[in-house]
Amino acid sequence: MTDERLEQIVGNLLRAGVVSAAAVVLTGGVWRLAVEGFAQPHYGHFRPDVLGVRSLGGLALPDAIILVGLLALIATPLARVVFTLAAFALRRDWMYVAITAIVLIVLLYSIGTSWL
Amino acid sequence: MNLLTFSGVVYAISALAGFLGALTGLGGGVVVTPALTLLLGVDLRFAMGASLVSVIATSSGAAAAYVKEGFSNIRVGMFLEIATTLGAVAGAHLVSAVPTSTLAVIFGLVLLYSAWASLHKMHEEQAACSDPLAARLRLDSSYPGPHGFIRYQVCRVKAGFGLMFGAGILSGLLGIGSGAMKVIAMDQVMRIPFKASTTTSNFMIGVTAAASAGVYLSRGYIEPGLAMPVIPMVSSANLSRELRLVFAGVVGLLAAEMIYNGVTGGLK
């Protein structure tokens, strides 16, 4: 695989991820506003609704859909790193496989904290 | 102000922030957080959470275009992402230990610095240098110029790596992309040509922000309802025309509903 081809695939991957995530967020958002548009916003005080991914089950459905979209958005750069790792491995570029793997481990650690 | 009006205002602010961010090169995040906290009284941590997620959207959307055009240097990006992601995780963990007032001051200073840096002239010329580490990591690359590909060398890799760790800490601590600081590290220190450093920086911002996002999510800084109106507008600046039309349609609907409610006296 050439550098150019790799770059094109990464570009398409990023675009698809952002577009689909934004669409999911928007769907949940429109629903949420339709259901509770007249409620008062409560963002002035730090009382979080979401404490990690495990909060997903306890949310109202529109909020849960928005959160799924946000998770998809967060997963987009992660998918990019996984893909880059695979591409370097295909080229037997072991130094960059190792470099990319370190980045992947840091990302997985961070995302892992939100599941616990 | 009810949720509908609130979301409409956040929508408008984010659109403006995305536009300003793209125009000045500061990125939307540094504008979104002050606007949400100062104008709408949103808690700083919630504003940072919304901004952080919007940073992922903007950077990934823009990176998609640049990566395809061959401007960004994937090897430099990947190598420096070790520093930025480690910094980001550290910074995100620090948020709960730093008083909100201190965070606000640091934010203000970074904002001032970003504004100053955006006025700074970037290097177009390639300085001659040789860093054995750059050679070992095969960081030297080329980008498409008007008369074929322009080759460049990468200088002072260690210093650049250190600065990137700092950029990562700020990104995690403040929920921003730290784009300005990343460009400075690549442009001033590593002497990567302007075109390649801005696009590579953009490429890295998404991964850096994702590294903070997991920690933010677990600490409760990301509120779905607040992040919702921020994301589509900030990200749509880089997306296709069709999608922007869809978003514009939704804004139109929101506007119509607000006017209707205003006229019928439903808004308080």
Side-chain angles (χ1 to χ4, degrees), chain B residues 8 10-11 17 24 31 38 42 64 72 78 98 106 118 123 142 146 175 184 199 248-249 260:
Chain B
V10 175
Y11 222 93
T24 57
V31 194
L38 298 177
V42 171
S72 49
M78 217 63 233
V98 178
I106 299 174
S118 72
H123 292 272
S142 60
I184 298 288
T199 50
Y260 172 78

Side-chain angles (χ1 to χ4, degrees), chain B residues 115-129:
Chain B
W116 176 80
S118 72
L119 298 173
H120 226 71
K121 199 172 167 3
M122 296 293 180
H123 292 272
E124 285 291 355
E125 304 293 308
Q126 167 66 39
C129 72

Side-chain angles (χ1 to χ4, degrees), chain A residues 3-4 6-8 10-12 14-15 18-19 22-23 25-26 28-30 32-33 36-54 59 63 66-67 70-71 73-74 76-78 80-81 84 88 91 93 95-96 99-100 102-103 106-107 109-111 113-114, chain B residues 1-4 6-7 11 41-43 45-46 53 56-57 60-61 63-65 67-68 70 72 74-75 78-79 81-82 85-86 89 93 136-139 203 206-207 210-215 217-228 231-232 238-240 243 247 250 254 261 266:
Chain A
D3 271 19
E4 289 72 32
L6 171 66
E7 285 168 0
Q8 284 196 352
V10 169
N12 285 332
L14 289 174
R15 185 179 293 271
V18 174
V19 169
V25 168
L26 204 63
V30 170
R32 178 172 192 262
L33 287 180
E36 45 177 343
F38 294 105
Q40 293 298 308
H42 55 277
Y43 304 120
H45 303 283
F46 186 65
R47 276 193 303 267
D49 291 333
V50 177
L51 288 167
V53 179
R54 68 203 153 104
L59 291 175
D63 281 316
I66 299 175
L67 185 56
L70 297 182
L71 291 174
L73 197 61
I74 295 169
T76 302
L78 183 77
R80 194 211 98 192
V81 173
T84 312
F88 281 130
R91 292 195 227 165
D93 187 344
M95 181 164 46
Y96 274 89
I99 287 172
T100 313
I102 296 172
V103 174
V106 178
L107 276 179
Y109 159 76
S110 170
I111 291 166
T113 61
S114 69
Chain B
M1 197 193 301
N2 67 18
L3 209 55
L4 198 62
F6 179 83
S7 300
Y11 222 93
V42 171
D43 181 89
R45 281 154 291 187
F46 283 158
V53 187
I56 301 179
S60 301
V67 167
K68 279 178 145 179
S72 49
I74 291 191
R75 272 198 288 270
M78 217 63 233
F79 174 66
E81 272 167 20
I82 296 179
T85 51
L86 282 173
V89 169
H93 277 299
R136 270 197 64 194
L137 292 165
R138 303 192 310 281
L139 297 180
F203 189 61
V207 174
S212 308
V215 178
L217 206 58
S218 64
R219 297 283 171 87
Y221 305 156
I222 297 176
E223 275 290 294
L226 180 64
M228 178 273 293
I231 286 146
N238 302 305
L239 295 175
S240 66
L243 214 71
F247 292 139
V250 174
L254 281 175
N261 287 318

